[in-house]
Amino acid sequence: MIPSVNNSGSRTIGLLNYLYATGQYDDHTDPHLVASFDGMSPDPGRDPNATLQDLAQLLDQPVMALAKHGRPAKHVWHTSVRADPGDRILSDEEWGEIARRIVAATGIDPGGGQPGCRWAAVRHADDHIHIVATLVTEDGHRPDDYRSGARAQAEARIIEKELGLRQVAPGDGTAAQRPTSAERHKAERQARDRTAREELRETVRRAVAGADSEEEFFERLAAAGLLIRQRAAPSGDLLGYKVALPDDLNRDGEPVFYPGARLAPDLSLPRIRERWSASSHASDTALSEAVSGGPAAARRRTASAAWKAVLVVEHGDDAVAAAYIAATGEVLDALAKTSAAHTRRELREAAWAFERASRSHVRAERGHDRALRQAARDLVHSGPALGRGEDGATTAMAIDMLFFLIAAAIHWHAKKGHAQQAAAATRAAEHLRSAYKTASAPPLGVLHQRGRRLSRPMLQRQTVLLREALPELAEQILAEPGWYALAATIREAEASGHDPVAILSEAAERRELGTADSVSDVLVWRMRRTAHLPADASHLPETSTAGSRTAPRRSTSRPSAPGRARSGEDASRQIR
């Protein structure tokens, strides 16, 4: 059960018009009162002689009794209380009692002989109610509604237990502010997929991803088409900023601006500056090299950075791990921004979901996450990727490595009791899974066919090498459809002068593989990255996998990270 409190309204009649409207909104059916401050308020939904104006005037009476100069400018308090989709349908009586408990808990109408505000609870759908109140008590004072949102959440947790409803993970104050009902319905009227607040948050996050200065950040915001207002001190120092969509206007035809801190806690200018102050600026030469390598090279570097980050999240200090998890959000934002059309939607949804997982009460120690932030910067500056060839194949490689990084984030959050963040990371992983399937199908299909065309003696040799390198996993891998793609990769690595046993062992030992859907897929991408093999094998001559003689083995460096990193089977099983 989720209460969503908003106390910034100025027109009681306007909110009532929305709550009682039918025909315009699919979920507005049979609007009616389930409770009110006196139990006798007129109900325009059930009483044909009652009007919305009657109800509005009754609720507004304590406000209008004040001298005009003493009336609060924003006097309308509003919250929706929504049941979980899996909950049973509650009766009007149950919703009425829920409403009375919410207004008591939040200080709107505390009861016990204390003066309260006037309020009414309207039900216009099976799964939720709306409570509207006016923020002047019967004796003309402001109610004690400090932190009413948090108090409503705490009461909702108690109500869930008593009524046998689904237990919602409690919030920790680090989530981005939810869109208001007015913002949501404005988006519906304008046929937007997301509210203006949500669109702005996504655009600002993409602008931050990999940026290393205020100038670059604001240039990206302007290039994205946002309207920008900067707030400066008398000295000229920049203190903050606001952004707006050009077509999101208020009733006076003016753009609606949102401060960065109101979009998300980590999007205020001081919090964004923490990333820049702790990062070393990339030299012009390094940035030029990153751009010249193209999207495929940027994705390879991203895969390598993600792979190294797994160990840090699993074994590093909490503050450092939090920084890496936050930087993972930047990488996802950058990858979604530069992805090809066929993976863009799922990657965008993954980045959107992971946004909640990137913040917690563990304060990130910036600077240690430099490699991941640089990977995000490389992705942005290397430009959009094609959905085929080396670009497409390295996209699959990067997503595969990011799976394991997000699995580590899930496990880290779960250990810390961060239920909402762990759930958000799990949702992000599911979207990554879908994007991976799309991106990996063509390059793995090519490798599968090349493996099928290997001679019988060559396949037998690859089988022997596999059993030598990974005796505990060999039989599972040989039974997988992806074995042929792995066999072709082993052959390519050996033909390139690598020791196939060493490189297979290295690919497997850095993290457990027992819960992966396809161990062979994971090993293909790890081997091709480590051995510097092309991710897309479609252009390679067939002789590279069909030769009968083998090149001499050369040693492959072992990882210097301590031990075998394990992020927990429970976390891994959620995404692989």
Side-chain angles (χ1 to χ4, degrees), residues 302-516:
T302 297
S304 295
W307 184 239
K308 294 173 184 176
V310 170
L311 292 176
V312 177
V313 173
E314 291 179 339
H315 299 291
D317 293 338
D318 284 346
V320 177
Y324 270 78
I325 291 172
T328 300
E330 292 193 49
V331 173
L332 289 172
D333 284 323
L335 190 61
K337 180 178 181 178
T338 58
S339 63
H342 68 310
T343 55
R344 187 178 305 140
R345 178 182 176 84
E346 292 294 347
L347 289 173
R348 182 189 180 197
E349 292 298 328
W352 179 257
F354 195 80
E355 185 264 347
R356 181 66 187 93
S358 65
R359 293 185 304 273
S360 71
H361 280 303
V362 179
R363 189 63 178 265
E365 187 175 313
R366 292 291 188 172
H368 300 280
D369 56 349
R370 188 174 298 118
L372 277 179
R373 294 208 72 242
Q374 184 60 45
R377 184 170 176 78
D378 287 354
L379 287 169
V380 171
H381 283 276
S382 65
L386 300 175
R388 60 184 185 277
E390 193 69 6
D391 283 8
T394 51
T395 296
M397 178 187 290
I399 293 172
D400 184 74
M401 301 299 174
L402 285 167
F403 264 128
F404 291 98
L405 179 52
I406 289 180
I410 293 170
H411 186 64
W412 186 85
H413 279 307
K415 284 195 303 182
K416 301 297 176 188
H418 303 161
Q420 291 189 345
Q421 288 88 340
T426 301
R427 291 194 299 273
E430 290 301 326
H431 288 295
L432 276 183
R433 181 202 295 272
S434 298
Y436 171 78
K437 289 179 178 178
T438 300
S440 65
L444 287 180
V446 170
L447 287 171
H448 179 85
Q449 293 302 319
R450 295 172 76 87
R452 291 295 298 266
R453 289 195 291 269
L454 288 173
S455 65
R456 183 179 296 274
M458 184 59 67
L459 272 176
Q460 290 174 342
R461 172 176 170 75
Q462 312 303 55
T463 301
V464 170
L465 292 173
L466 176 67
R467 287 182 171 138
E468 180 183 348
L470 306 175
E472 296 179 357
L473 291 172
E475 298 309 315
Q476 175 184 343
I477 293 171
L478 290 170
E480 291 180 350
W483 157 240
Y484 289 104
L486 180 57
T489 298
I490 294 172
R491 175 61 187 130
E492 285 183 47
E494 189 174 23
S496 298
H498 294 275
D499 180 343
V501 173
I503 204 169
L504 265 172
S505 299
E506 178 180 343
E509 71 180 357
R510 288 283 294 276
R511 190 183 185 279
E512 55 85 18
L513 292 164
T515 56

Side-chain angles (χ1 to χ4, degrees), residues 54-67:
D54 293 335
L55 181 56
Q57 287 178 347
L58 179 65
L59 296 176
D60 281 341
Q61 276 182 4
V63 179
M64 302 307 293
L66 297 176

Side-chain angles (χ1 to χ4, degrees), residues 44-337:
R46 294 291 172 85
D47 183 353
N49 297 316
T51 66
L52 293 176
Q53 193 65 42
D54 293 335
L55 181 56
Q57 287 178 347
L58 179 65
L59 296 176
D60 281 341
Q61 276 182 4
V63 179
M64 302 307 293
L66 297 176
K68 192 171 183 179
H69 67 272
R71 298 170 189 169
K74 302 284 188 180
H75 70 272
V76 182
W77 184 91
H78 168 230
T79 183
S80 62
V81 185
R82 188 175 298 272
D84 185 80
D87 286 337
R88 62 182 174 84
I89 296 178
L90 301 176
S91 67
D92 279 356
E93 291 72 21
E94 288 173 313
W95 276 121
E97 180 59 23
I98 289 170
R100 283 185 281 272
R101 291 181 61 169
I102 292 293
V103 295
T106 54
I108 295 299
D109 190 5
Q114 300 180 66
C117 301
R118 296 190 176 188
W119 60 272
V122 179
R123 182 181 188 181
H124 58 200
D126 285 340
D127 64 347
H128 69 280
I129 59 171
H130 292 262
I131 306 172
V132 54
T134 48
L135 291 173
V136 175
T137 62
E138 295 288 0
D139 60 356
H141 293 89
R142 169 88 190 196
D144 178 16
D145 64 333
Y146 175 67
R147 299 188 69 215
S148 59
R151 290 154 71 178
Q153 293 288 348
E155 186 66 21
R157 303 293 81 78
I158 299 172
I159 293 171
E160 290 163 354
K161 291 180 180 179
E162 293 180 359
L163 297 184
L165 305 177
R166 180 180 179 273
Q167 300 290 293
V168 176
D172 63 1
T174 64
Q177 184 174 330
R178 292 175 179 272
T180 65
S181 294
E183 290 171 352
R184 289 195 299 271
H185 291 290
K186 184 178 183 180
E188 290 176 7
R189 292 195 304 271
Q190 297 175 344
R192 295 182 186 272
D193 292 336
R194 290 176 175 153
T195 64
R197 181 192 300 273
E198 292 169 320
E199 285 189 31
L200 288 168
R201 184 162 76 243
E202 182 179 46
T203 303
V204 173
R205 288 188 67 86
R206 288 188 175 188
V208 171
D212 69 352
S213 67
E214 288 181 7
E215 293 76 14
E216 183 177 7
F217 171 57
F218 286 114
E219 285 174 3
R220 289 186 184 183
L221 291 180
L226 301 189
L227 303 178
I228 307 165
R229 285 182 181 172
Q230 297 180 348
R231 182 167 60 90
S235 63
D237 293 335
L238 189 59
L239 299 177
Y241 71 98
K242 296 180 179 181
V243 288
L245 297 174
D247 57 349
D248 180 40
L249 309 177
N250 60 21
R251 67 182 62 188
D252 298 322
E254 299 171 339
V256 180
F257 281 87
Y258 294 81
R262 297 292 297 276
L263 298 177
D266 56 346
L267 294 182
S268 68
L269 190 58
R271 292 291 299 276
I272 291 174
R273 280 174 172 155
E274 291 176 6
R275 315 182 195 201
W276 299 328
S277 61
S279 298
S280 60
H281 294 265
S283 67
D284 292 339
T285 302
L287 185 56
S288 177
E289 290 175 354
V291 174
S292 64
R299 278 153 173 73
R300 276 186 174 273
R301 288 190 292 272
T302 297
S304 295
W307 184 239
K308 294 173 184 176
V310 170
L311 292 176
V312 177
V313 173
E314 291 179 339
H315 299 291
D317 293 338
D318 284 346
V320 177
Y324 270 78
I325 291 172
T328 300
E330 292 193 49
V331 173
L332 289 172
D333 284 323
L335 190 61
K337 180 178 181 178

